[in-house]
Amino acid sequence: MRLQQRLLSWIPQSLLGRLSLVMLAGVMLVQFAGNAIWAAQMRREARTEVRTAAEHLGHSAASSLRYFLSLPVNYRSLVIQQFREMGGTRFFVNLTDGPVQMTPFAEEELSTLAVQQVHKVIQQEMPAIRQLQVSFAWPQDVRFSQDGSGISDVPDKWVEHILVTRPKPAPIMVIQAELESGSWLYLATLMPNPYFLNDGDPFSGDRVLLQLLTLLAVFVLSLLVVRWITRPLAALSSAADAFGQGGSIPALPDTGSKEFLNTARAFALMRERIQRYIEDRERLFVSISHDLRTPIMRLKLRAELLDDDVTRSEFHDDLDELDMMVKGALQCVKDSDIHENPTAIRLDVLIGRMVRDVKLSGHAIAFEPSGIEVIAKPLALKRAISNLLNNALHYGCQVSISVIQTKQYVEIAIRDHGPGVPEQALATLFDPYVRLEHGRQSNQSGMGLGLGIARDIVQAHQGELILQNAPGGGFLACIRLPVQVLPDNVLHDFS
C-alpha cells in the first residue's frame, strides 16, 4: 500500500500534467514497438531480397560457366579479350591456373546468405563442376589472378561498367570454378543492390539519432498542443453533455486555438446533421405508417372472402403492395447509412462507368470529362448520382451530365430533356413515396424514395442537392459538394 501510494503521489494531478505524462509514455512505447517491428520487417525483407538477387545472380553465373565450357579451350581467352574491349559484361571474367586467394571478408548474415544461395544454385545447375568457390571481397582487396593484380592494375574500361570502386566502394562477389584440371574460370560482379549490407542494418547511428530527435520533437509539440487545447474543453464538454441529455445547448466560446474552433464548428454541424437525420427518419416512418393503413384495412375486410378467386387475387395484390413499401423503407435506411471513409474520387472515372452502362442499355447520354476530383465517400456518392441518373433516364428522353468546379464547391449537374416538373410540385419531390403522374407512367417499379436518399447522402457530405426545371425545358438536378483537401494519411484516388 505504501509503495502504491508513493507511486500515485508522483502522478500529476492536473489534466495537462497527466496528458503530458501519458503522451510521453505512449509515444515512447509506440516508438520502441514500432522500431522493433520495423527492424524485424526490414530484416525479413532484406533476407528475401538478398536470397532472390543471389538466386538470379547464380543463374547468370551458371549460364556464363556453361558458355565457356562449350567453347574450345583456345578460344576462351580470345572471347574474354573481346568482352574487355567492348567494356565488359555483367561479370569481370578471367582465366587462372588455380583459385585466387582473397582477403577474408567479415562474415555477416546477408553476405553469408548470398554466398550460400549462389553456391547452391550453381551446384544445382552444374553438378559436374569439380570445385567451386564463392566469396565476397572489398574492391581494394580484390585480386584478379594469382600474381596479385587488382583493380588498380587493369585498365579502367575493363571494370568501370562492372564494379563500383568510387566514390563509395561496394562489396564484390567473386566466383571461381574449375572447368578442367588446372583451368579455372574467375567471375567478379556486384549484387543487384551493391549496398545491400548497409540496407540490412535498421539500427545504424543516423537512424537511431533521427528516431530520438523525432521522439523529442513529437513530445515537445504535443505538450504545447495539449496545453493549448485543454483550457476551452470545459465549455465543449458541457455542450456535449447537454446535447446528449436533450437539453438546451449553451453557446460555445468563439475564441481559442484553431483546433478548438474547428472542433466547436464540427460539433455544431454534427448536432444539426443528427437533428435533421432524426427528423427525416421520423417523417419517413410516419409516412410509411400512414400509407400502410389502407392496404391493411383492405386485408381485414377481404380476409373473410378468401374462397373467391377474384378476392384472393386482390388479397395477394395488397400483400405485394405492402411488401414493396416495407422493402422500400428498409432500402431507404440502408442506402442512406453507408459507412465509409472519405477519399479522393476522380469523377471522370466514376461517372464514366455509369455513362458506359447507360449507353449499353440503349439510352442517349452526353458527358464531357473534366479532370476534377472531389473528396467524398465513394459508394455513397455513386448511389446519389445513380439515383438522380435513373430518374433522368426514366423521365427524360435524353440526358447530359456536366462537372464544374469553383473556389467553394464542385457541382455535378444531371439534366434530362423530359417534360420537367410543375413548379408547385418541386417542394414535395423529396417527400417519401411522392411520384408525379408522368413518373408513374414511365417507371411503374419505383417507390419515390430515390431523391430523398440522394439528398440525405449529399447533406451527409456537407453539400446541397438542388432540383429545378432547366432553362429551355427539362429537369436539372445539381449536386454541390464543398471543395476539401485530402489529408496525407488517407488513401488517394478511388477509381
Side-chain angles (χ1 to χ4, degrees), residues 439-450:
R440 295 191 184 94
Q441 297 173 359
S442 58
N443 183 13
Q444 296 292 336
S445 62
M447 292 175 287
L449 298 174

Side-chain angles (χ1 to χ4, degrees), residues 156-346:
D156 288 342
K157 68 178 182 179
W158 288 11
V159 296
E160 62 183 354
H161 301 301
I162 304 173
L163 308 178
V164 176
T165 59
R166 56 183 182 271
K168 182 181 180 181
I172 298 172
M173 175 172 282
V174 178
I175 303 171
Q176 302 182 76
E178 185 180 19
L179 303 181
E180 294 93 14
S181 179
S183 178
W184 286 66
L185 185 66
Y186 178 102
L187 303 175
T189 188
L190 296 172
M191 291 287 289
N193 176 12
Y195 304 105
F196 69 100
L197 294 179
N198 295 338
D199 295 340
D201 181 16
F203 292 109
S204 58
D206 54 344
R207 287 176 177 170
V208 173
L209 178 60
L210 178 61
Q211 293 294 327
L212 292 177
L213 293 177
T214 302
L215 175 62
L216 179 60
V218 169
F219 173 71
V220 172
L221 293 176
S222 300
L223 181 63
L224 295 176
V225 171
V226 168
R227 186 175 181 179
W228 192 15
I229 65 175
T230 49
R231 296 177 180 175
L233 286 179
L236 183 59
S237 176
S238 300
D241 183 68
F243 178 64
Q245 296 179 3
S248 59
I249 308 299
L252 294 175
D254 56 357
T255 59
S257 65
K258 180 180 179 181
E259 288 77 7
F260 171 75
L261 294 177
N262 290 338
T263 304
R265 296 191 187 100
F267 175 80
L269 292 175
M270 178 193 69
R271 183 187 61 189
E272 295 175 1
R273 287 196 298 269
I274 292 176
Q275 190 64 34
R276 186 167 57 238
Y277 177 87
I278 294 174
E279 293 173 356
D280 289 343
R281 288 298 181 271
E282 289 178 353
R283 187 184 307 112
L284 173 64
F285 286 102
V286 167
S287 299
I288 293 175
S289 176
H290 178 271
D291 291 340
L292 284 176
R293 292 175 182 174
T294 301
I296 291 175
M297 181 60 66
R298 289 200 297 264
L299 287 173
K300 292 180 179 180
L301 294 175
R302 292 166 181 158
E304 303 298 330
L305 303 174
L306 291 178
D307 293 335
D308 184 80
D309 293 337
V310 176
T311 304
R312 187 183 302 111
S313 176
E314 293 176 347
F315 180 80
H316 288 303
D317 290 341
D318 288 339
L319 281 177
D320 292 339
E321 181 181 356
L322 179 61
D323 182 65
M324 179 180 296
M325 296 177 68
V326 173
K327 288 182 179 179
L330 295 177
Q331 186 68 26
C332 177
V333 176
K334 179 181 178 182
D335 288 346
S336 299
D337 295 336
I338 300 178
H339 301 284
E340 298 176 278
N341 293 324
T343 186
I345 305 173
R346 291 189 297 172

Side-chain angles (χ1 to χ4, degrees), residues 88-142:
T89 59
R90 180 172 185 175
F91 300 93
F92 175 85
V93 188
N94 196 21
L95 293 173
T96 61
D97 297 331
V100 179
Q101 298 299 320
M102 295 292 171
T103 302
F105 189 84
E107 291 189 2
E108 296 187 21
E109 180 185 6
L110 295 181
S111 62
T112 302
L113 176 61
V115 168
Q116 292 175 349
Q117 188 69 18
V118 171
H119 195 284
K120 176 182 176 181
V121 171
I122 296 177
Q123 287 284 12
Q124 289 177 348
E125 292 200 11
M126 303 191 68
I129 291 292
R130 299 181 180 183
Q131 297 187 58
L132 177 65
Q133 294 184 7
V134 182
S135 61
F136 276 103
W138 292 106
Q140 65 272 16
D141 298 328
V142 170

Side-chain angles (χ1 to χ4, degrees), residues 368-382:
E368 289 294 332
S370 62
I372 296 175
E373 292 186 354
V374 67
I375 308 302
K377 298 180 179 180
L379 294 179
L381 181 60
K382 182 179 180 181

Side-chain angles (χ1 to χ4, degrees), residues 41-51 110 199-200:
Q41 182 178 358
M42 282 195 63
R43 291 193 183 98
R44 288 196 302 269
E45 292 177 353
R47 286 193 294 267
T48 301
E49 292 175 0
V50 168
R51 186 180 292 107
L110 295 181
D199 295 340

